[in-house]
Amino acid sequence: MSEYRLNTGKVGEKVVGAYEKVEKKFTDTFLNEDGSMKTGGMDKKVTAAYQKIEDGVVGTYKKIEDGVVGAYKKVEDAFVDKFLEKVDEEKAEETNVEETKEQE
């Protein structure tokens, strides 16, 4: 099988040369020798900003959750107070025994 390569000509060579200059400038500016990104301390700033946003969102969610749980608790307490009555353990056992006998 034959191999081919691009015949760039004079214009193509100038384009490739210009591209290589841009690529070198980019890598020198933004990449370390090992290929990792140069952050210039920006990573710590971004992480701190993200943490502040996360804390705000989580804090807001927690407040909403507490409000909903608190409202539910009030409704639950009102329901219990209105429709249920507290009985002693002895009376509860007697009532359960009587109900079981009635069902038989």
Side-chain angles (χ1 to χ4, degrees):
M1 178 188 274
S2 300
E3 289 189 30
Y4 295 91
R5 73 173 215 205
L6 183 60
N7 182 5
T8 56
K10 290 182 182 180
V11 173
E13 287 176 11
K14 288 183 180 182
V15 170
V16 170
Y19 170 80
E20 287 174 348
K21 286 180 185 177
V22 169
E23 181 181 37
K24 179 157 179 30
K25 180 73 173 167
F26 176 86
T27 56
D28 290 346
T29 304
F30 296 108
L31 298 179
N32 293 318
E33 288 183 24
D34 65 354
S36 62
M37 293 289 291
K38 291 181 181 177
T39 59
M42 186 59 79
D43 57 334
K44 293 176 183 160
K45 293 176 186 175
V46 170
T47 302
Y50 174 82
Q51 190 65 48
K52 286 181 184 178
I53 292 168
E54 182 183 26
D55 291 346
V57 169
V58 170
T60 301
Y61 176 83
K62 183 71 174 146
K63 287 178 185 175
I64 291 169
E65 182 182 41
D66 290 346
V68 169
V69 169
Y72 173 81
K73 198 71 171 149
K74 287 179 184 177
V75 170
E76 181 184 39
D77 291 344
F79 177 86
V80 168
D81 291 345
K82 181 74 174 177
F83 297 107
L84 302 176
E85 61 183 26
K86 191 169 187 171
V87 286
D88 296 332
E89 280 188 38
E90 291 177 18
K91 289 183 181 178
E93 288 177 20
E94 289 174 13
T95 304
N96 289 337
V97 170
E98 290 174 10
E99 288 177 357
T100 305
K101 287 180 182 177
E102 290 175 1
Q103 291 175 358
E104 294 175 351

